[in-house]
Amino acid sequence: MFDEIVGQIRKLHKKEQGFIPLHAPVFKGNEKKYVAETIDSTFVSSVGEFVVQFEKMMKEITGARHAIAIVNGTCALHLALLLAGVEKEEEVITQTLTFVATANAIAHANAHPHFVDVDKDTLGLSPSKLNEHLEKIAEIRNGKCYNKITGRRIAACVPMHTFGLPLRIDEVVEVCNRFFIPVVEDSTESIGSYYKGKHTGTFGKLGTFSFNGNKTITCGAGGAIITDDDAIGKKAKHLSTTAKIPHAWAFEHDEVAYNYRMPNLNAALACAQLEQLDAFVQDKRALANDYKKSFASLPITMVTEIADAKANYWLCCLLLKDRSEKDAFLAFSNEKQVMTRPAWQLMHRLPMYNKCFHGNLDNSEWLEERIVNIPSSVRI
Ligand SMILES: *Cc1c(COP(=O)(O)O)cnc(C)c1O
């Protein structure tokens, strides 16, 4: 069976031999032109017209009222948590099945990650398990949610749309609203993914994106925050630009803030890539569909979007039978120069987060034993 899977991957990528990466960027649009323009203009740093253009494009693509360009996805998450009102020593609920940056951003806000399980079909935060967990451990006092066991306030919830597959975000928001917990969507993997016709990242109070080298579109390093809240949108820009009060020459700053603004050089690359987003997502969805058809007769599962979701299929994901089959397939495919990867180590098993509070994590643990990502680059 392993031979057959690897053969299908090679066939769909039209590459009979040689190395096939997991996800390689494609630069076939206006990338060189726009980057050269920033160099010619000398505006390579955080002031420039591509930064403005990038924010405009992000608003158009997501439908959010505000989009703020940020240096990377981790900083976007960190700032979004602060803007959602997370304070020192408070707790932030997130998935244990996520990339480490989600938990790191919580730690950067001096808060404690608190892990809740995912659904097996979406790989994203489970609204039913979240509800069940909160019913057990949460207590509402003065319109705020507290963890009865640790005594700390639960200040935010960060669901993550894993591999670009939309989770049941409307239900997660509904549960969080009942418990007075603001939602910050980690939509870093899901640019171009929609749920019930709305772009991911627009369901929570804030949404965050990443344009790192391995994501669906890239600008080297980059990120964004989106929100419909005017005051939060304004504050996001202010805090990401050292809280400088606009003035023709004076240096006045009104609070401790950050140098988190995306440089114009990166924004130029981001604009050129965003112009191709629709074509990229179309190709990735076609690849996912082809994979699904080619593996239909094999005893493996390909994780696909749920009803009402339109995934960007950033990384296509297979579920193998068990841990030993997964490990054997990883060894086999990588040896054959077809790059495949397991799920991230679960957050509650990492040394810096293994003492964090968590609920039942059965689905995450079951998935971690079986997940394999297969080559998912755009083939244009
Ligand atoms: C990529 C990613 C991030 C962080 O983005 P960077 O731009 O690399 O800082 C955060 N969370 C998740 C789930 C990611 O996949």
Side-chain angles (χ1 to χ4, degrees):
M1 174 177 83
F2 291 176
D3 241 334
E4 200 175 335
I5 301 174
V6 164
Q8 287 295 346
I9 293 170
R10 286 203 169 279
K11 196 173 132 206
L12 291 175
H13 288 268
K14 297 193 170 65
K15 204 158 183 212
E16 288 313 317
Q17 50 197 312
F19 179 68
I20 303 184
L22 191 68
H23 200 284
V26 172
F27 300 121
K28 291 190 175 164
N30 288 317
E31 288 87 354
K32 280 187 183 166
K33 179 168 174 264
Y34 293 172
V35 169
E37 275 175 42
T38 66
I39 294 170
D40 291 342
S41 76
T42 76
F43 283 87
V44 293
S45 201
S46 51
V47 173
E49 56 187 81
F50 282 111
V51 183
V52 177
Q53 175 64 15
F54 167 77
E55 291 178 335
K56 186 164 162 271
M57 291 177 86
M58 284 300 292
K59 283 194 279 185
E60 281 165 10
I61 290 164
T62 61
R65 279 174 60 83
H66 304 276
I68 299 90
I70 302 288
V71 280
N72 63 49
T74 310
C75 292
L77 274 166
H78 175 212
L79 193 52
L81 288 168
L82 301 179
L83 291 161
V86 174
E87 293 185 6
K88 199 171 172 217
E89 294 301 324
E90 295 186 324
E91 281 177 22
V92 175
I93 290 176
T94 192
Q95 304 169 200
T96 186
L97 178 70
T98 185
F99 178 56
V100 70
T102 316
N104 284 345
I106 295 167
H108 295 163
N110 297 308
H112 299 268
H114 167 157
F115 302 113
V116 171
D117 211 3
V118 296
D119 278 329
K120 276 188 185 175
D121 56 352
T122 65
L123 317 180
L125 196 70
S126 167
S128 56
K129 293 201 72 166
L130 176 67
N131 186 55
E132 199 184 314
H133 178 68
L134 287 172
E135 290 289 350
K136 231 184 296 170
I137 65 101
E139 176 177 59
I140 308 295
R141 278 186 265 137
N142 301 324
K144 289 177 176 178
C145 186
Y146 291 84
N147 180 335
K148 280 193 280 198
I149 295 151
T150 63
R152 293 192 282 247
R153 182 168 87 101
I154 301 174
C157 175
V158 186
M160 197 278 280
H161 301 280
T162 307
F163 309 140
L165 297 159
L167 64 99
R168 294 182 176 83
I169 186 65
D170 55 343
E171 293 178 42
V172 167
V173 169
E174 189 272 321
V175 172
C176 287
N177 284 347
R178 264 194 291 116
F179 285 90
F180 302 92
I181 302 171
V183 173
V184 172
E185 276 179 82
D186 184 341
S187 37
T188 48
E189 302 182 355
S190 64
I191 184 82
S193 296
Y194 295 78
Y195 187 63
K196 297 190 174 168
K198 256 167 70 92
H199 200 287
T200 51
T202 61
F203 291 80
K205 205 177 173 90
L206 298 114
T208 53
F209 294 92
S210 165
F211 305 102
N212 189 29
N214 63 349
K215 296 294 206 284
T216 295
I217 72 151
T218 185
C219 60
I225 291 174
I226 57 169
T227 183
D228 281 340
D229 186 305
D230 296 340
I232 289 178
K234 205 167 159 212
K235 189 134 192 226
K237 167 97 188 276
H238 191 58
L239 285 182
S240 66
T241 51
T242 66
K244 184 178 183 299
I245 297 163
H247 189 278
W249 59 81
F251 287 105
E252 288 292 344
H253 307 260
D254 59 2
E255 60 185 302
V256 177
Y258 303 89
N259 177 18
Y260 276 2
R261 195 146 177 87
M262 181 192 282
N264 202 39
L265 198 56
N266 299 75
L269 201 49
C271 289
Q273 288 264 288
L274 283 177
E275 287 172 354
Q276 303 162 83
L277 178 65
D278 287 349
F280 282 12
V281 171
Q282 203 180 338
D283 185 69
K284 292 171 77 63
R285 290 180 58 79
L287 175 65
N289 199 38
D290 289 343
Y291 272 146
K292 195 181 163 202
K293 276 193 273 178
S294 5
F295 303 145
S297 60
L298 301 177
I300 48 169
T301 306
M302 175 153 162
V303 186
T304 53
E305 63 200 8
I306 56 168
D308 295 327
K310 184 173 175 241
N312 66 6
Y313 286 100
W314 169 48
L315 292 182
C316 289
C317 176
L318 301 180
L319 300 180
L320 281 289
K321 188 171 82 236
D322 53 24
R323 186 181 291 283
S324 70
E325 191 182 76
K326 178 208 64 173
D327 288 341
F329 179 67
L330 286 168
F332 180 88
S333 48
N334 283 291
E335 150 75 23
K336 296 269 185 214
Q337 290 191 285
V338 167
M339 188 171 167
T340 58
R341 285 288 179 266
W344 310 281
Q345 176 58 284
L346 297 174
M347 294 304 107
H348 71 285
R349 291 179 181 152
L350 294 176
M352 58 289 196
Y353 301 123
N354 66 10
K355 293 191 179 61
C356 291
F357 191 83
H358 64 78
N360 171 285
L361 301 172
D362 285 353
N363 294 343
S364 305
E365 291 179 351
W366 186 92
L367 287 164
E368 189 271 334
E369 289 180 6
R370 292 164 176 82
I371 287 175
V372 174
N373 290 122
I374 56 176
S376 307
S377 306
V378 169
R379 298 162 300 169
I380 293 164

